[in-house]
Amino acid sequence: MAALVVAGGHIVKGHESAVTVDQIDPIADALPTGGDILSASDAAQEPATSAIPAPAAPQPPKPAAHSRAIDPDVVALPDLSDQELERVEPRAPLSDLALAGPPKPPKTKMPGDWNGTKLFQPVATAAGLIESKGYAVAVSGVDVVKADETCSDEGKSWACGVRARTAFRAFLRGRAVACTVPPDGGRDTISAECHIGNQDIGQWLVENGWARAAQGGPYVEAENKARTARKGIFGPAPKLDGLPALPAASGPAPVVQDSILPADGGTVTPPVDQPAPAQ
């Protein structure tokens, strides 16, 4: 007895003990695998669409599961009893930067903590006196030479105070002075140390002979050297012989009238031009 089987749209011829397939189409893989055998009459009555099922709707791909092998010996803690545990002190920090402490209070400036207050455009009123920015500063460690002081040299008096002030003004010209005075100035004269850069002003005044050292001050030795070298006010009067002499007066100075109007109230007579003298 022979039977016909539709497989993938092709006719399959079979015998009692064997089945021979003329051609196997890849679409045959989509047929149901129930192993049903249809006869020729059944195959004729079966609709053509029943042999090829509709393709199934595509399913979204499942996300790949990421897993990592974990060694149970690393995760699991050993079984310890309370008697075997011991508390230890924490290790010390690696540096002081790791220590969190309260912020330090701002440092209050005291007269000995700063290098001095800058005094710009200083004016020397005397050798050892400085005025600037509302300050009146007397350089400490020196005795100020007043501007009206005079010195004697071999019985001859000369204005050493003016000379010392002029030299001090030339030293301060165009330079900023730093004195150890409070940030806010006052009306009273303040005795303070002053310097220009690394130059001590009191030292400069005494060693050049433009001021005297105060008794017990730091510049006593500098004054002794200046006296020995006869510098400044300790030296001779300046020689003015090289200066040109003042021109002699040719006659009495003319008297200037207080008013151009005559005193009696009369008219003013214009001056008459005098004829030039004959040559």
Side-chain angles (χ1 to χ4, degrees):
M1 178 177 178
L4 296 177
V5 179
V6 178
H10 300 276
I11 299 175
V12 178
K13 297 180 293 182
H15 299 278
E16 295 181 355
S17 60
V19 177
T20 303
V21 180
D22 294 341
Q23 184 178 1
I24 300 176
D25 193 86
I27 303 178
D29 296 337
L31 294 176
T33 58
D36 298 334
I37 301 175
L38 302 178
S39 61
S41 59
D42 295 337
Q45 296 178 0
E46 185 71 17
T49 57
S50 61
I52 303 175
Q59 298 295 330
K62 296 182 179 180
H66 298 279
S67 60
R68 180 171 60 89
I70 299 177
D71 189 357
D73 296 337
V74 177
V75 178
L77 297 176
D79 297 335
L80 297 176
S81 62
D82 297 340
Q83 288 76 14
E84 296 179 0
L85 297 178
E86 181 182 357
R87 183 180 296 275
V88 297
E89 296 295 333
R91 66 172 179 82
L94 300 179
S95 65
D96 295 340
L97 298 177
L99 300 177
K104 296 181 180 180
K107 186 178 180 181
T108 304
K109 288 188 176 181
M110 300 301 292
D113 295 339
W114 67 65
N115 294 329
T117 302
K118 291 289 186 180
L119 304 180
F120 299 97
Q121 298 180 352
V123 177
T125 57
L129 287 179
I130 301 174
E131 291 185 0
S132 174
K133 294 178 57 177
Y135 289 90
V137 182
V139 180
S140 61
V142 303
D143 288 338
V144 177
V145 179
K146 297 180 180 180
D148 56 354
E149 185 175 341
T150 58
C151 300
S152 177
D153 176 39
E154 298 179 357
K156 184 179 180 181
S157 178
W158 62 286
C160 60
V162 176
R163 181 77 172 174
R165 182 185 64 182
T166 302
F168 192 34
R169 285 181 175 177
F171 176 73
L172 298 179
R173 183 175 301 167
R175 309 171 79 177
V177 178
C179 299
T180 55
V181 294
D184 298 329
R187 297 182 179 179
D188 299 333
T189 302
I190 303 174
S191 179
E193 297 179 359
C194 299
H195 58 275
I196 296 177
N198 296 328
Q199 177 66 59
D200 187 351
I201 294 180
Q203 180 76 20
W204 183 88
L205 285 170
V206 176
E207 70 183 6
N208 287 280
W210 301 122
R212 302 178 182 88
Q215 294 182 358
Y219 310 125
V220 175
E221 184 179 356
E223 179 183 347
N224 296 332
K225 293 181 180 180
R227 286 181 180 272
T228 303
R230 300 196 58 174
K231 292 182 178 181
I233 62 176
F234 308 117
K239 297 181 180 181
L240 304 177
D241 299 340
L243 297 178
L246 295 176
S250 58
V255 179
V256 180
Q257 299 180 359
D258 296 338
S259 177
I260 61 175
L261 299 177
D264 54 1
T267 59
V268 179
T269 304
V272 178
D273 297 335
Q274 299 293 335
Q279 299 292 336

